[in-house]
Amino acid sequence: KMSMEMAQRLDTGLRAALGDDGYKSFQQYSALGPERNVADQLASELYSTNEPLTPAQADQLVQVLAQNRFAPQSSPSPSATLNGTFIDPRTYGRLRVQELGPNGTTGVTWAAPVTDTALSRAGAVLTPVQVAALRQLQAQQALAFQLAPPSAGEKAPVGSK
């Protein structure tokens, strides 16, 4: 776990090395990491097809995902559903902790959840074949959320083992 002091020293060092404008660009780039991970996953899926993801499409997809981020809510909405499945805050938190680990460390690359809203808007930048591949990626994400084990001290949902 990185201490607040270490984080501040790292932040100060980055700002000194990059300058104010470079540091701002770095922060903006870093903030979109989970969305870029989705674009990378999609590009990998489409690599050997007749419709690979172009760099321009990847950049546009990152923006679509960023503009339509998953927003944990207590009731269903397009920004809290994946593949038509409502993901409540508790379920989202279980997988997020599982992916990140208890101290925020990870050996897994966190990918932004592809919301139903993002999927519908991705059609403006992707071909139908690419949208179908993104839909499949979204379905895998929804399943991962549904199968995430309960957090320590949390009761398993009724009907699960």
Side-chain angles (χ1 to χ4, degrees), residues 12-157:
T12 301
L14 281 170
R15 188 182 295 274
L18 300 174
D20 287 339
D21 290 341
Y23 180 74
K24 184 177 179 180
S25 294
F26 172 76
Q27 285 185 310
Q28 290 170 342
Y29 181 84
S30 296
L32 295 174
E35 288 80 9
R36 271 194 311 285
N37 291 338
V38 171
D40 289 346
Q41 287 176 339
L42 184 61
S44 293
E45 290 296 319
L46 295 168
Y47 179 76
S48 61
T49 69
N50 291 333
E51 297 187 39
L53 194 65
T54 67
Q57 285 177 308
D59 289 341
Q60 292 171 324
L61 178 60
V62 166
Q63 293 307 313
V64 167
L65 293 168
Q67 292 164 2
N68 299 282
R69 280 194 170 127
F70 181 82
Q73 300 174 25
S74 57
S75 60
S77 77
S79 63
T81 55
L82 276 69
N83 198 35
T85 303
F86 170 62
I87 307 298
D88 64 72
R90 182 180 293 187
T91 302
Y92 174 77
R94 282 197 311 256
L95 188 63
R96 188 79 170 123
V97 168
Q98 179 184 344
E99 294 278 336
L100 288 179
N103 296 323
T105 58
T106 182
V108 177
T109 303
W110 177 254
V114 179
T115 65
D116 289 347
T117 303
L119 185 65
S120 69
R121 294 191 176 152
V125 299
L126 302 176
T127 68
V129 168
Q130 293 168 332
V131 170
L134 184 60
R135 183 174 288 113
Q136 189 172 28
L137 194 153
Q138 182 201 49
Q140 292 168 354
Q141 288 181 333
L143 185 60
F145 277 111
Q146 291 171 321
L147 296 176
S151 304
E154 182 184 355
K155 292 181 180 179

